[in-house]
Amino acid sequence: MPGRTHRSTFTAASAVLALCAAAVVTGCATAGTDAPAAVASGASTPGTLPPLTATPQPTAGVDTASTPVLPPTAPADATGPTGSPTPLAPASATPTTGTPAVPKAPDTAPSAPAGTALTAAVQPAGLAQLPIAPKFGWKPDGPLSSQDVHSRRITLNECAGISGAVTWQQQGYLSTARNPAGQQLFSFPTPEAAHTAYQHLLADMDACQESSRQLQARQAAPQDATVIRTASTANGTSWSRQWTGVGGMSAPEQQTNHFYALQQGGVLTLFQFDELKERPAPAHDTGTDPSVLAALAALGAQH
């Protein structure tokens, strides 16, 4: 469906996913194109694993490595291959050197029109219910944003994007170590549409290692990306990506991106967070990812 393309960044570098951002991711932070993207957050802001065509602008003075931001829209025909330098994001956003940036919805980004019925909502307070929340101490980084996307494509990170959603919400966070994170929630017209988007996301993320290495090769960076599935449930999946980011949606440094996705009826929920080498913190144990997916599912059931 023709339309504009947005980008979400939730990763180590920003301009994205970021992922929405967001963004989409995780973790490893946009509508209308075929190119995927990621989320990021940081004081000086570059981008991470995941943002799509329209590049979000990093928030000045805020650490933004992987928190999602609502970027300005780009023409619907703007495209970028999966894993394009506009990480899981296209090239209009220029990341700030230093720390990944968390995408934020620009002041001009339209909010969901009055009367738009959101079937679910991101609840920042609910993040404390995740079993890993005490370790990272995430706090909201800016206000919650929501908008109608009219089925346009949203870039999550360098590898994946979401198409077909009606509404898009995203909330960025920063950990006590100033590493970015982000939640994104997409509402679809039917459960079938949400399932189709989820299946496309699975395919994109399962191919993320190859996409990330192709991106690194284009940027003459070490081709060291490693992406694995860390957990799978009846309606959710999580991944971890370790790599040297190349800027754009991800921070240009060694990092690990964690990305979670689950479908519940007509809603697709994403959560993404980054661990940047330059911002040391207790390492995340991916063995806890099944419980993280279960907690996200429980939060979704409360909507």
Side-chain angles (χ1 to χ4, degrees), residues 46-90:
T48 309
L49 177 233
L52 276 198
T53 22
T55 302
Q57 300 302 314
T59 302
V62 176
D63 279 356
T64 47
S66 62
T67 308
V69 173
L70 296 180
T73 56
D77 58 353
T79 58
T82 300
S84 68
T86 60
L88 284 188

Side-chain angles (χ1 to χ4, degrees), residues 140-156:
D141 179 30
L144 168 70
S145 64
S146 65
Q147 65 174 307
D148 281 352
V149 290
H150 307 294
S151 299
R152 298 190 298 271
R153 180 175 175 81
I154 308 299
T155 297
L156 302 175

Side-chain angles (χ1 to χ4, degrees), residues 235 262 264 292-302:
N235 61 348
L262 63 155
Q264 293 173 294
V292 174
L293 285 173
L296 288 171
L299 286 175
Q302 296 173 19

Side-chain angles (χ1 to χ4, degrees), residues 102-274:
V102 176
K104 306 279 181 175
D107 294 338
T108 56
S111 56
T116 296
L118 297 176
T119 59
V122 169
Q123 300 176 8
L127 195 68
Q129 298 179 35
L130 296 188
I132 57 176
K135 174 191 290 187
F136 295 104
W138 290 301
K139 301 295 183 184
D141 179 30
L144 168 70
S145 64
S146 65
Q147 65 174 307
D148 281 352
V149 290
H150 307 294
S151 299
R152 298 190 298 271
R153 180 175 175 81
I154 308 299
T155 297
L156 302 175
N157 53 34
E158 295 86 357
C159 305
I162 295 293
S163 297
V166 176
T167 59
W168 173 31
Q169 298 181 33
Q170 55 182 330
Q171 174 67 59
Y173 304 90
L174 284 176
S175 70
T176 54
R178 308 298 289 172
N179 282 316
Q183 288 175 290
Q184 297 186 73
L185 187 150
F186 296 90
S187 297
F188 294 80
T190 65
E192 292 74 20
H195 183 68
T196 295
Y198 177 62
Q199 292 301 315
H200 284 306
L201 177 60
L202 291 182
D204 287 344
M205 288 304 300
D206 284 343
C208 189
Q209 177 169 301
E210 179 180 357
S211 299
S212 298
R213 290 189 179 187
Q214 289 175 351
L215 175 58
Q216 289 176 316
R218 289 196 295 272
Q219 299 298 317
Q223 297 175 51
D224 59 2
T226 300
V227 181
I228 60 171
R229 276 198 189 197
T230 58
S232 293
T233 63
N235 61 348
T237 307
S238 60
W239 297 263
S240 175
R241 175 178 65 174
Q242 291 184 308
W243 72 320
T244 299
V246 293
M249 291 189 76
S250 298
E253 61 181 277
Q254 291 183 4
Q255 62 197 271
T256 301
N257 313 131
H258 302 281
F259 189 70
Y260 305 81
L262 63 155
Q263 180 213 340
Q264 293 173 294
V267 175
L268 191 59
T269 299
L270 309 178
F271 180 64
Q272 193 170 340
F273 71 95
D274 301 324

